[in-house]
Amino acid sequence: MTKTLFEQAKPILKTLQSNQYQAYFVGGSVRDYLMHKTIHDIDITTSATPEEVEAIFEKTIPIGREHGTINVVYNGEHYEVTTFRAEGDYDDHRRPNEVFFVRELYEDVKRRDFTMNAIAMDADFHIHDYFNGQQDIKNRIIRTVGNAQERFNEDALRIIRGLRFQSQLGFSLENETFYGMQSHINDIEHLSIERIVVELKKLTSGKYVANSFENLQRLNAFNYIPFFKHYNLNNFILDEAIPFTLLVALLKVQQPSIKGNLNDLKISNNDKKYISKLEKLLNQLPNIKSKSDFKILIYDYGEQDIQSILNYMDLHIKNHLPSFSPLIINTQSVKEVSKQLPIQSRKDIDINGKVILEAVNKQSGPWLKTILRDIELAIIDGDVQNIKSELIRWVKSHVEIQ
């Protein structure tokens, strides 16, 4: 078990303690430490109020003072230090109406989501576990802290988070926890799609995604999530880790009559472009019948994205997506043809639009884009060498300009 990050952060805890405040590591880092997993982010909880934390440390950033969180900068590293807190009622199934700062660790951890995330650890690596989180980790069980109905009524995102943890850790859902999810699954429609997508991206790439995805289906969770609610997810099989973008593309290709709007997911423009590219690629694969088609496909879409499709061929088949010839398109052939391509992009062509306009003595227009595409295809098919003089000669003799 690595203690390095905890050791680096220990002076934060010691400083708080020397000023007569309680301070502990808490949450995912403690859980991962107990599971012998790599630790990434460390969260610190303390009895000191935000103002008291700011008074103690030389450099702080008030990233969430109203919620009790202060970013403490120590030795160039940033640490989130959050005051012990209790919460008022929840009206929107996501955020408490009020946050109360308290002085006892127990009051803080009892509001957390799952027992495995409610374990605290002090600077001397002594564990403070009020809800048998260690035993649940040992038994590989995901269980809410206290009453499951209350926890999910407070924050419906905990349902998706619980399934995400299942996908990452391979744990089982404790019965009452699952029933609590079932009772409040419709509340996830009140959540922001951005928060849901963050969790789904982690969930789909989890090692144990098969169980989590099956539970999402059992709970009818997708019926309450923008974009997905238009599709029949019960017809989709997901039994291996997969990038979220590829999942969406596969779904769109599997159910082409449904025109889901990617804008509903509020993902980045890069993600939307990539999903659209994968969708076009998946639809194009069955149309590849010759070596010429194949070379153009690799030029247009790139070796990496085609290989990413081939890596998930089992899913492709299980979900009854349009088939294509494995004799033409396979990992080895993609690699070999990609290496042999004379150009990798239009930037590699030895002439540009300006040169073409001068060579044919014509005004620019929509025809120029068509000619550049024709040149690309001619180079890839080996009809002309990528040499300026050869390309100009080819343009003059092969392209009819209106």
Side-chain angles (χ1 to χ4, degrees), residues 86-120:
E87 296 167 345
D89 293 333
Y90 290 69
D91 285 343
D92 61 359
H93 306 286
R94 181 68 191 102
R95 298 179 191 84
N97 296 333
E98 294 179 90
V99 171
F100 307 98
F101 299 141
V102 294
R103 295 292 189 178
E104 295 299 325
L105 174 64
Y106 175 81
E107 293 298 318
D108 179 82
V109 294
K110 78 174 187 180
R111 68 177 175 80
R112 294 178 181 265
D113 52 9
F114 304 105
T115 59
M116 62 183 179
N117 297 331
I119 306 169

Side-chain angles (χ1 to χ4, degrees), residues 229-254:
K229 65 184 179 182
H230 300 295
Y231 291 85
N232 185 352
L233 269 297
N234 289 327
N235 285 344
F236 195 89
I237 294 172
L238 182 59
D239 56 6
E240 62 179 295
I242 184 175
F244 177 77
T245 47
L246 182 54
L247 164 67
V248 175
L250 290 172
L251 186 62
K252 285 172 69 67
V253 172
Q254 186 202 53

Side-chain angles (χ1 to χ4, degrees), residues 112-131:
R112 294 178 181 265
D113 52 9
F114 304 105
T115 59
M116 62 183 179
N117 297 331
I119 306 169
M121 183 172 71
D122 65 25
D124 298 318
F125 297 92
H126 295 143
I127 298 298
H128 301 260
D129 181 9
Y130 297 101
F131 302 101

Side-chain angles (χ1 to χ4, degrees), residues 24-66:
Y24 304 90
F25 299 116
V26 72
S29 59
V30 178
R31 178 197 67 230
D32 290 343
Y33 168 73
L34 294 172
M35 292 181 65
H36 307 265
K37 294 170 69 71
T38 302
I39 298 159
H40 300 287
D41 299 315
I42 285 180
D43 290 323
I44 295 170
T45 187
T46 180
S47 59
T49 65
E51 292 74 19
E52 290 165 342
V53 171
E54 289 175 316
I56 291 171
F57 294 97
E58 184 177 338
K59 188 171 183 181
T60 61
I61 304 170
I63 59 173
R65 185 191 282 116
E66 68 276 13

Side-chain angles (χ1 to χ4, degrees), residues 238-344:
L238 182 59
D239 56 6
E240 62 179 295
I242 184 175
F244 177 77
T245 47
L246 182 54
L247 164 67
V248 175
L250 290 172
L251 186 62
K252 285 172 69 67
V253 172
Q254 186 202 53
Q255 301 175 39
S257 62
I258 299 171
K259 305 300 179 185
N261 190 340
L262 293 178
N263 290 329
D264 290 344
L265 291 171
K266 295 189 179 179
I267 51 181
S268 69
N269 286 332
N270 285 339
D271 277 352
K272 285 187 282 190
K273 287 178 184 176
Y274 187 57
I275 290 168
S276 296
K277 180 182 179 182
L278 290 177
E279 182 185 1
K280 290 176 185 175
L281 171 56
L282 285 161
N283 284 320
Q284 185 65 19
L285 289 173
N287 300 324
I288 305 304
K289 305 298 183 184
S290 67
K291 189 169 183 178
S292 176
D293 292 341
F294 187 38
K295 287 192 290 187
I296 293 168
L297 179 86
I298 294 175
Y299 174 77
D300 284 342
Y301 291 97
E303 177 186 354
Q304 184 176 345
D305 289 337
I306 297 172
Q307 292 289 14
S308 70
I309 298 294
L310 296 179
N311 289 339
Y312 298 99
M313 277 310 301
D314 284 348
L315 275 181
H316 196 105
I317 294 167
K318 289 173 185 175
N319 284 292
H320 307 290
L321 269 66
S323 60
F324 54 87
S325 172
L327 295 176
I328 298 175
I329 307 171
N330 55 69
T331 297
Q332 189 61 34
S333 64
V334 170
K335 194 174 294 185
E336 289 175 359
V337 171
S338 180
K339 285 181 182 178
Q340 295 167 4
L341 288 178
I343 56 174
Q344 296 296 325

